């Protein structure tokens, strides 16, 4: 053991083997290098028992020795390291300490005395080789990652026995000394934010008796140029007892203290106030401002997800990445990739473990941090009937505060379109774009709010190799521009573009995490097809144990695993995030967007008109000998006027079918869109009411059209029971109301099913049930069981209301002396029938709202 001298920029550090030294831009580090090419915590220099080594901590621009980028380098007198660039980056020069004590022995260093460990003998009872497949070889690390005495030698392709110690295995997690670094810090305690060790980007004095207003408008005391911030967002005020408080001014995106939304709160030591992408910390009589510019670290620690029965589908997953990184997640089907993605985004928080966004717990501070995270699901999160610019315009209206000027939104849209090279496609319909271009539009939608962390689920699914490469190059560019990007993918063709690769084994455990170009060597195969086949053929193999026994584990995950897993019960209760805009503003935007989507689909518009016309014409085919007239002046018919009852039956069934057909697919086809927008602050009731209003207007129009075609050629009663001089309108109103209620039944079906294919059988079944229980096919009155069941069916009440006007007890008498009380020809009966019919529609609306909760991020339901 001996001291080493480090020199940089005419400064000198004498390194002692008794401790480790943190190198980077962090002012709290041991060796502070003020150079933008150097990461905040770039590397650690330490004595490993055999010699001095430098270990890179996943820095953005890398560590180089001899012109080659390395993760671990041996150091000695005469060694030089380049940080951030192999040619012109900061150069660290090392030399022997002048006063170094002589070595106690003249023999060679231990690094040259220790022979490489021999491969263990194949275990007894190991797995036999599968025909046509090779068992994975024992991993041997590249020479530049470890000193010579730690290198592993290749040996027979056999699995280690359970509990076997792998060559180069890490010490138990509890024994690993903490060396610091971006992923080794303890998690921030609730109520504190570490800001990743950043220096404040601004200092603002506070004075007693003075108000400091924060907002986007130029007249504020503290101007925040962020479209997530309202024009007049919040105020810092002093209290009579000398304290300071934060007061929200009715902002659209909320004001947060320690990640929780507040309206007014006294601030204490260590409290962090969040406003848009900025956070503020009160230190004495001044505010320290920290702006999230995108360069944030991200880590997952001990993520474990269990399902009913205690089965673990994600097991103790830990990994960490620095800022401006592109990470790929791959694995066979059933390895938990989608579960991991939902845990990382907070959509379905893990049962144990933490997700740290720049050292802040995502689960406990989801209300605030959700605005800084973008998610692009596998399915497109936009309406394909709209043009690119129109789709982004509506998204911007929903995600930005209501006081954002149209010019500000348009400028941001143009900026994103230019960044993703979509400006030449801005006036094209989304449905006319290629698969890769549509994925770019989905990414553009997420970039509107300038997220620092972007997740993508299978963005290259279904794309050809050329588009696959284009999408991955796009993601590489997003990371290089200052964002952290994580992509779940099945494609392995472009993994070389990524900084890190996470491989999940069957059962949801980590099989590898590290540089993509070393992964195949780690598994001992030449292709990913062989690796995935090994996963399938050796499902009982301890892939996680193999990973934890590797040197890559020590480099990239050992420090994370040294922290304890946090159970969900230990977290503070997460408050419901506030809506981004007022309810009325969201409703108006959603109505306009939905109307635009419908108007853009010419085929659907034509069907909306043709369907009621066809059904109305069908009712005209019924003979009109007796029509719907009643009373002595028409004469008592010698037989029951079944033709008139059939006319009402056809009109009612037509209204039921058109109303349900309008809505039966509307929620299921937008499920992915709704889930994403709900996570960003969309109001559930505003979304549902936009559907109800637009579809209600369409359905009412269709009901009026069916009624007009079916009733105009008929003899009608001379007067109604409510609208005396307008019996035709009084007959049409129940048909229109029945169509509306059936439309609500269709929304229930759409909220219940998991795939659009299941909607049509349920639609047919609904129409048949409504037909049977109209009361026109057989007598319901007095039939125990059937009569009570009919009370739940909308068509029973819709036909009864129309039958009250037409006096069906006279037109269609059943058994003598048993008139149907719901057909009585008086105003009270008509109002009762209509009231119950609309009441059923209201109940259906409440049920739909409850069912929509099942399709929201789970964190929104807790």
């Amino acid at each position: 053991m001996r001291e080493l001298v480090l020199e940089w920029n005419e400064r000198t550090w004498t390194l002692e083997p008794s401790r480790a030294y943190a190198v980077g831009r962090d002012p709290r580090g041991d060796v502070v290098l003020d150079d933008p090419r150097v990461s905040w915590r770039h590397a650690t220099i330490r004595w490993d028992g055999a010699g001095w080594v430098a270990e890179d901590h996943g820095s953005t621009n890398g560590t180089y020795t001899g012109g080659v980028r390395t993760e671990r380098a041996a150091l000695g007198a005469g060694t030089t390291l380049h940080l951030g660039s192999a040619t012109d980056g900061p150069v660290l020069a090392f030399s022997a300490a002048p006063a170094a004590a002589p070595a106690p022995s003249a023999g060679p260093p231990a690094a040259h005395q220790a022979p490489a460990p021999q491969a263990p003998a194949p275990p007894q009872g190991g797995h036999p080789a599968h025909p046509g497949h090779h068992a994975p070889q024992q991993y041997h690390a590249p020479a530049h990652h470890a000193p010579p005495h730690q290198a592993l030698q290749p040996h027979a392709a056999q699995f280690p026995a359970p509990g076997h110690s792998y060559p180069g295995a890490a010490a138990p997690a509890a024994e690993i000394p903490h060396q610091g670094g971006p992923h080794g810090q303890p998690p921030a305690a609730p109520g504190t934010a570490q800001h990743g060790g950043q220096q404040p980007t601004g200092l603002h004095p506070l004075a007693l008796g003075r108000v400091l207003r924060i907002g986007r408008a130029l007249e504020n005391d503290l101007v925040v140029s962020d479209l997530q911030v309202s024009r007049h967002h919040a105020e810092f005020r002093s209290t009579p007892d000398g304290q300071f408080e934060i007061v929200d001014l009715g902002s659209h995106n909320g004001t947060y203290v320690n990640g929780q939304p507040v309206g007014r709160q006294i601030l204490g030591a260590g409290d962090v106030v969040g406003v848009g992408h900025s956070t503020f910390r009160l230190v004495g009589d001044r505010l320290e401002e920290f702006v999230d510019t995108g360069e944030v670290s991200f880590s997952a620690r001990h993520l474990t997800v269990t399902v009913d029965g205690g089965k673990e589908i994600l097991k103790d997953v830990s990994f960490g990445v620095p800022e401006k990184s592109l990470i790929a997640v791959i694995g066979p089907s059933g390895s938990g990739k989608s579960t991991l993605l939902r845990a990382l985004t907070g959509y379905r928080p893990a049962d144990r473990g933490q997700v740290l966004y720049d050292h802040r717990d995502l689960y406990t501070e989801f209300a605030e941090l959700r605005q800084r995270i973008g998610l692009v699901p596998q399915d497109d999160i936009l309406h394909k009937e709209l043009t690119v610019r129109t789709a982004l315009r509506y998204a911007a209206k929903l995600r930005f505060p209501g006081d954002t000027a149209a010019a500000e939104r348009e400028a941001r849209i143009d900026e994103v379109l230019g960044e993703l090279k979509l400006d030449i496609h801005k006036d094209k319909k989304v449905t006319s774009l290629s698969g890769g271009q549509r994925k770019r539009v989905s990414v553009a939608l997420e970039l509107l709010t300038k997220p620092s962390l972007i997740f993508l689920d299978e963005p290259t699914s279904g794309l050809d190799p050329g588009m696959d490469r284009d999408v991955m190059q796009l993601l590489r560019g997003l990371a290089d521009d200052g964002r952290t990007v994580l992509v779940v993918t099945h494609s392995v063709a472009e993994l070389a573009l990524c900084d890190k690769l996470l491989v999940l084994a069957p059962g949801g455990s980590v099989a590898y995490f590290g540089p993509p170009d070393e992964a195949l060597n780690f598994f001992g195969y030449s292709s990913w097809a062989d690796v995935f086949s090994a996963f399938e053929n050796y499902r009982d193999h301890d892939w996680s144990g193999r990973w934890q026994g590797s040197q890559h584990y020590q480099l990239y995950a050992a420090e994370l695993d040294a922290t304890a897993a946090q159970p969900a019960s230990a977290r503070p209760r997460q408050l419901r995030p506030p809506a981004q805009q007022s309810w009325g503003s969201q409703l108006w935007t959603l109505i306009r967007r939905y109307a635009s989507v419908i108007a853009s689909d010419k085929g659907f518009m034509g069907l909306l008109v043709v369907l009621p016309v066809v059904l109305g014409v069908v009712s005209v085919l019924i003979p009109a000998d007796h029509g719907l007239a009643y009373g002595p002046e028409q004469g008592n018919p010698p037989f029951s006027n079944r033709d008139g009852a059939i006319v009402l039956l056809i009109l009612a069934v037509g209204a039921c079918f058109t109303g349900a057909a309008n809505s039966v697919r509307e929620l299921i086809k937008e499920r992915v869109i709704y889930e994403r927008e709900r996570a960003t602050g969309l109001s559930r009731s505003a979304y549902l009411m936009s559907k109800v209003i637009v579809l209600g207007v369409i359905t009412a129009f269709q009901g009026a059209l069916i009624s007009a075609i079916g009733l105009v050629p008929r003899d009608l009663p001379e007067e109604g029971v409510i609208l005396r001089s307008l019996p035709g309108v009084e007959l049409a109103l129940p048909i229109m109301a029945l169509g509306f209620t059936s439309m609500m039944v269709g929304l229930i079906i759409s909220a219940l099913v998991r795939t659009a294919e299941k909607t049509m059988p349920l639609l047919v079944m609904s129409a048949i049930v409504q037909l049977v229980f109209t009361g026109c096919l057989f007598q319901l009155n007095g039939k125990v069981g059937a009569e009570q069941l009919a009370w739940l069916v909308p068509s029973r009440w819709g036909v009864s209301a129309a039958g009250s006007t037409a006096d069906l007890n006279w037109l269609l008498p059943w058994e003598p002396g048993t008139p149907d009380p719901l057909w009585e020809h008086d105003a009270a009966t008509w109002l009762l029938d209509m009231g119950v019919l609309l009441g059923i529609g209201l109940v259906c609306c409440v049920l739909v709202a409850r069912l929509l909760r099942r399709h929201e991020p789970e964190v929104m339901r807790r």
Side-chain angles (χ1 to χ4, degrees), residues 837-848:
L837 177 61
L838 295 176
I840 293 175
L842 180 61
V843 171
C844 290
C845 187
V846 174
L847 288 176
V848 174

Side-chain angles (χ1 to χ4, degrees), residues 450-532:
K450 297 184 178 180
S452 303
L453 186 62
I454 302 177
F455 294 91
L456 299 99
D457 186 11
E458 300 287 356
T460 61
S461 177
L463 302 183
D464 60 49
M467 290 185 179
D468 181 357
R469 180 181 58 192
D470 291 344
V471 171
M472 293 301 293
Q473 288 177 341
L474 165 68
L475 303 184
R476 177 71 265 171
L478 293 177
D480 293 338
D481 288 341
R483 306 174 183 92
T484 300
V485 183
L486 186 145
V487 53
V488 174
T489 179
H490 277 110
S491 175
V492 297
E494 305 297 334
L495 293 180
L497 293 172
C498 302
D499 297 297
K500 293 291 188 295
L501 173 65
L502 175 66
V503 182
L504 293 179
S509 59
V510 176
Y512 174 82
F513 178 71
D517 55 352
E518 299 173 13
L520 288 176
N521 183 43
F522 174 87
F523 287 107
Y525 288 107
S526 59
S527 71
W528 283 108
D530 292 333
V531 174
F532 278 44

